[in-house]
Amino acid sequence: HPGLPVQVVASVHTYIGLLRQSQGEYLCAIDSLMKALWLETSSFDPEDGIQVGLTLHRLAIAYRKNGNHKQAVTLLDKAMLIYTGCGFANDHQFVCHALEEKEFAREHLHFRKREWHSTTTLGLKNLPSILEESKSKKNRSLSIFETCAESI
């Protein structure tokens, strides 16, 4: 995009990302928002700090909606650092929304850990019967093999 200001190109990528996100195409949204973030940070001007914070915030939402809650929390932490660095109070709408998103992502992160733990625990409880069944199938296969071998 020769000749266009970097901020214009970054804004275009941001809007493409937001459009893709609204269509449920989260990986495409992440890709576009990453391009916007790269452009914003490669030509970083302290005056544009808020834009970097907003892009991190939007990227975090796309990651969360795509199921990557851990990455969402990390990006929201970075966005909130920028917001506070820009002088936003804790009751500013950007900060409040970032905190809400972070809490939502953390809840899902903990839910998935509990879900994984209960599935793993259930699997471990059933392990002896699974092993016994496997051993039984192996013995049946072995006896079929021996029967076939005897008949040859």
Side-chain angles (χ1 to χ4, degrees):
H1 312 291
L4 288 175
V6 173
Q7 280 72 21
V8 171
V9 178
S11 293
V12 168
H13 284 295
T14 296
Y15 290 122
I16 290 171
L18 292 173
L19 178 64
R20 295 297 178 114
Q21 185 173 318
S22 73
Q23 296 171 335
E25 297 174 12
Y26 304 119
L27 289 175
C28 292
I30 290 167
D31 184 56
S32 292
L33 291 167
M34 287 294 286
K35 289 175 184 174
L37 184 64
W38 182 83
L39 288 165
E40 291 164 359
T41 55
S42 66
S43 65
F44 187 72
D45 179 357
E47 296 294 316
D48 295 333
I50 185 62
Q51 192 58 47
V52 173
L54 286 170
T55 302
L56 286 166
H57 193 148
R58 291 169 175 149
L59 190 56
I61 293 169
Y63 270 106
R64 181 187 60 75
K65 288 184 174 184
N66 197 47
N68 191 337
H69 304 288
K70 188 175 182 177
Q71 184 66 19
V73 169
T74 300
L75 292 170
L76 287 165
D77 283 339
K78 291 178 181 182
M80 289 191 307
L81 280 173
I82 291 173
Y83 293 158
T84 55
C86 289
F88 292 153
N90 286 340
D91 62 346
H92 188 278
Q93 67 180 8
F94 294 167
V95 177
C96 290
H97 187 263
L99 287 169
E100 288 171 11
E101 282 290 328
K102 186 176 171 181
E103 184 60 32
F104 189 76
R106 277 194 169 152
E107 285 174 12
H108 278 75
L109 196 59
H110 292 302
F111 175 75
R112 291 208 172 184
K113 283 182 182 176
R114 282 195 311 270
E115 190 177 70
W116 178 84
H117 178 71
S118 64
T119 304
T120 304
T121 303
L122 180 64
L124 289 175
K125 285 180 183 176
N126 292 333
L127 188 59
S129 63
I130 293 169
L131 290 173
E132 188 59 39
E133 185 180 326
S134 175
K135 190 176 175 184
S136 172
K137 285 180 181 178
K138 183 179 176 184
N139 288 341
R140 272 188 267 138
S141 297
L142 193 56
S143 75
I144 291 170
F145 175 74
E146 288 170 348
T147 304
C148 291
E150 287 173 4
S151 66
I152 294 181

